[in-house]
Amino acid sequence: MTRHTDKEYEAELRDLRETILVMAGRCEEMIENSIRALVDRDSDLANKTIAADHTVNRDELRIDELCFLILAKRQPVASDLRFITQALKMANEMERISDLAVNISERALLLNKEPQLKPYIDVPRMKELVQKMVRNAIDAFVSGEVDKAYEVIKQDDEVDALYQAITRELLKVMTRDIEAVERGIHIQSVAKFLERMADHSENLAEQVIFMIKGKDVRNTDLPESDAS
Amino acid sequence: MTAAAKISVVGLDAWYGTHQVLRRINMAVQDRRVTAIIGPSGCGKSTFIRTLNRMHELVDGGIVKGQVLYDGEDIYDKSVDPVLLRRRVGMVFQKPNPFPTMSVRENVLAGLRLTSALKRSDADMVVERALRQAALWEEVKEVLDKPGSSLSGGQQQRLCIARALAVEPDVILMDEPCSALDPIATARIEDLIHSLKENYAIVIVTHNMQQAARVSDETGFFLMGELVEFSDTNKIFTSPKDQRTEEYITGKFG
């Protein structure tokens, strides 16, 4: 990879890139811990996850600040411009993902106070997929391998299918047993939060594709007139 | 690219003696558009615009091969008078170069005086029209008889643009017209370029890439005598096709 002649600019871009990677790592950890807090009925871990959100929020502020300064000082163009504009968006997506991990942890705290409704099978599967999506999007961001980002977009369909399966199954349980409704609603919410994390991961992948290729792949399923 | 180009450059080569400075350039300059030429020092961009009004051949050892079609006619054809051509294809240089002993008025008229005699009333009209077009009239209308060199740098550059406009060209070539100007004078010239675009084809060579991005519709990137990429300016500055363009505009060169 060719470097910028201006070493200070190069260092600013590297700082931004590293901050994004650190933030992505924290995000992934929060996804992991929020679901583990639920599956292992570990309320301490749920509380720790809630507290960690604040670090991710700080990462977002830091990324915004770095981008803002680079825009003001460097007037980036071409791939640099695509990087900066998408970095701003990526930070926002990751912040939303960590908020959702907080939401899951809050539901875990409530559910951990009640007897377990049923073994968690599809929820951890969904979590695995969402983590993979975030990881693939970030891998594509690091390596420039656009195929990995396209894979993320496909994986979102798998997450949606699992979400629907979970919802259907919970409906069955709740219609049979009124005592199960409150816990059922919480678990359904967890599935919904995971499904929304996947949507944010898909956005991340779209942003990475734009960064690499300069091609906007958002809403490409829309008719031409709406998409333009 | 579909409309007939004002200037079409076809397979253009240029030399200084035995040193080749341009290789197989193909490019179309559209009417009422601004075409920017960017590239590192020594890439051939200044030579290139000098081939568009036959100024390159004025340099010792300056040789041109290939075609430059102006409204479809080859300007290097034997029948073409270079002096008349340069009235149609005017030029503004890097450093404002008003004739120092001439008044503001005489500077504007300098190009016309070379080729025709003018009545006083016609001359006044030409002076006012050209200075208005160059967005300078309001600032100099009271000092028309003062030396051109008494104006500020930015005003002098607009005076040179007025001088180029006075002979009623079709095309204006600008070779780094703002490199000696402060940001405010630069903004005035850029604003002027936007309004001149309504009537002229403009080709601007610039070292300032942000300027190319701001003022032009199309941008060509030259490197070592070759036209590496020529495309819509928005495209060049957001996602250029060629890796060398990318590296140059993002500051990853040398």
Side-chain angles (χ1 to χ4, degrees), chain A residues 121-135:
Chain A
I121 298 162
D122 282 343
V123 166
R125 264 193 214 149
M126 245 181 124
K127 180 219 68 174
E128 294 285 329
L129 266 172
V130 171
Q131 274 183 315
K132 211 199 256 171
M133 287 173 77
V134 174
R135 205 173 304 137

Side-chain angles (χ1 to χ4, degrees), chain B residues 141-160:
Chain B
K141 62 184 180 190
E142 308 296 341
V143 294
L144 292 176
D145 293 313
K146 289 211 169 147
S149 53
S150 67
L151 304 179
S152 74
Q155 288 173 328
Q156 287 185 26
Q157 193 60 304
R158 279 178 283 146
L159 178 60
C160 295

Side-chain angles (χ1 to χ4, degrees), chain A residues 109-154:
Chain A
L109 287 175
L110 295 171
L111 283 162
N112 291 352
K113 285 182 194 151
E114 307 284 331
Q116 185 156 347
L117 184 63
K118 57 185 264 325
Y120 299 111
I121 298 162
D122 282 343
V123 166
R125 264 193 214 149
M126 245 181 124
K127 180 219 68 174
E128 294 285 329
L129 266 172
V130 171
Q131 274 183 315
K132 211 199 256 171
M133 287 173 77
V134 174
R135 205 173 304 137
N136 278 340
I138 296 301
D139 279 356
F141 167 70
V142 171
S143 67
E145 288 169 80
V146 80
D147 290 349
K148 279 204 168 147
Y150 277 113
E151 213 174 294
V152 176
I153 296 175
K154 281 190 219 136

Side-chain angles (χ1 to χ4, degrees), chain B residues 195-206:
Chain B
S195 58
L196 290 175
K197 190 173 95 168
E198 289 173 23
N199 298 305
Y200 305 92
I202 297 172
V203 183
I204 177 171
V205 165
T206 177

